Amino acid sequence: MTEVLQSDAAGMARAAALLGDGQCVGFPTETVYGLGADACNGAAVARIFEAKGRPRFNPLIVHLSAAGEAERHAVLSHQAERLAGAFWPGPLTLVLPRRTESPVAALVTAGLDTVALRVPAHPVAQALIAAAGRALAAPSANPSGSVSPTTAAHVLDGLGGRIAAVLDGGACPVGVESTVIGFEGQRAVLLRPGGIPTEALETALGAPLEAPTSAQIAAPGMLASHYAPKARLRLAALAARPNEGWLGFGPLPATQDGPALTLSSTGDLIEAAANLFAHLRTLDRLMAGTGTIAVAPIPARGLGVAINDRLSRAAAGRGG
Ligand code: TXA
Ligand code: MG
């Protein structure tokens, strides 16, 4: 059962407690309802993808309660600071170079070196992030492939029974998603049009906003390129060959030549999703970016579909 919470003190406290417990909670922002989870808890973030039935791990936006928190997670250029100063809190998302010290889970950024940050203006969203005392990763609160919800009833329609709770804050005033801006060197580029008009962004920047030239970030909402390890991947392997690394699913073998990690020793797909990007990076580092990592078969159910999607892209190499 999904709890429907009012946006009063009791409802806010309950929502904050559920988030602290690693659960997913629908909440209003000025753009659309988000499906929030603790951005620093990989298993909580995996539950977002499970609830939405997303067949792939797109990177998620990290929602902060104040602009001052951004520096903890990312490096803000002069241009980024101008935009943040002009439009935060508000319907603007900035894709920025991620700090290695940022505690945000690797699944949030789908293993990328950038992180998307936003400070929502909606008072209920701000109060929730403050009450939870944590940054919230949140995509729109709809099942994969359907339209973004702008009321709590829409959230229940799509995700009722699949998420812990929804916090009812009425209808979202903006009604379209945030504008997503990335950077190519010093140039700000528009990754997704949204709640802020382009002219307003250009006025704040004092420069025209351009379309991305890099194929890496060209398609709005869908990265053409993905995180891929430098080592080769051999998928659906039953065991590692001599000198191969091993990325398992289930208990680790008693003996193993090369470095070995398991996505989940108990075969739990949520734990596996939470570990996926961090384990690939660790194995890549242990193998000094050479050779082959053999990967155990992952069942193609639930989050296994998205895990397999990402593994086959990584096996095909960058841009695959
Ligand atoms: O208004 C909104 O932005 C809503 C509310 C809930 O905040 N959220 C939302 O999230 O629309 P979602 O997951 O539906 O869209 C996030 C967008 C996607 O287009 C995603 O590719 C992009 O942000 N994005 C996130 N992180 C990125 C990154 N590191 N690099 C490039 N694009 C990124
Ligand atoms: Mg969406």
Side-chain angles (χ1 to χ4, degrees):
M1 272 298 291
T2 297
E3 296 176 39
V4 180
L5 304 171
Q6 298 310 306
S7 51
D8 52 17
M12 206 69 80
R14 175 69 183 148
L18 289 166
L19 289 166
D21 190 35
Q23 302 299 312
C24 298
V25 175
F27 68 100
T29 80
E30 71 278 24
T31 58
V32 300
Y33 272 73
L35 182 59
D38 180 352
C40 302
N41 176 341
V45 175
R47 287 191 190 99
I48 292 177
F49 290 99
E50 189 186 46
K52 284 180 65 93
R54 265 198 186 175
R56 55 179 55 152
F57 295 125
N58 293 335
L60 303 178
I61 298 169
V62 176
H63 296 68
L64 308 171
S65 63
E69 291 163 30
E71 279 287 343
R72 180 167 182 225
H73 302 287
V75 181
L76 279 80
S77 65
H78 180 62
Q79 294 288 66
E81 276 182 354
R82 274 177 106 129
L83 291 174
F87 300 107
W88 280 351
L92 173 71
T93 295
L94 295 176
V95 175
L96 300 165
R98 178 193 167 132
R99 284 193 197 278
T100 44
E101 316 86 85
S102 166
V104 163
L107 188 55
V108 171
T109 58
L112 297 171
D113 296 325
T114 52
V115 62
L117 301 179
R118 166 159 127 76
V119 181
H122 198 293
V124 175
Q126 287 195 349
L128 179 66
I129 300 166
R134 54 196 85 229
L136 299 182
S140 50
N142 51 279
S144 180
S146 64
V147 298
S148 295
T150 55
T151 67
H154 295 166
V155 177
L156 284 172
D157 263 4
L159 298 175
R162 302 178 63 86
I163 61 176
V166 60
L167 192 56
D168 191 348
C172 301
V174 176
V176 297
E177 287 91 345
S178 61
T179 301
V180 182
I181 303 284
F183 295 88
E184 287 180 357
Q186 294 301 309
R187 294 181 338 128
V189 294
L190 181 64
L191 299 181
R192 179 180 75 179
I196 299 179
T198 305
E199 301 73 42
L201 292 159
E202 293 183 332
T203 303
L205 283 169
L209 193 58
E210 293 170 57
T213 53
S214 151
Q216 212 179 333
I217 48 177
M222 264 266 293
L223 297 174
S225 175
H226 300 278
Y227 166 72
K230 293 193 189 70
R232 272 190 304 280
L233 295 185
R234 188 167 66 81
L235 303 184
L238 296 181
R241 296 172 184 153
N243 300 319
E244 284 185 338
W246 176 246
L247 183 61
F249 182 74
L252 282 174
T255 57
Q256 156 76 25
D257 263 12
L261 291 174
T262 180
L263 291 169
S264 167
S265 54
T266 59
D268 174 353
L269 286 165
I270 290 191
E271 186 184 12
N275 284 329
L276 177 64
F277 293 105
H279 279 12
L280 281 173
R281 278 184 185 268
T282 303
L283 285 173
D284 212 22
R285 183 165 42 76
L286 292 173
M287 300 186 62
T290 63
T292 299
I293 301 168
V295 185
I298 312 294
R301 61 181 157 77
L303 282 174
V305 176
I307 295 172
N308 282 320
D309 169 75
R310 191 43 57 101
L311 284 169
S312 46
R313 286 162 194 274
R318 282 197 176 274

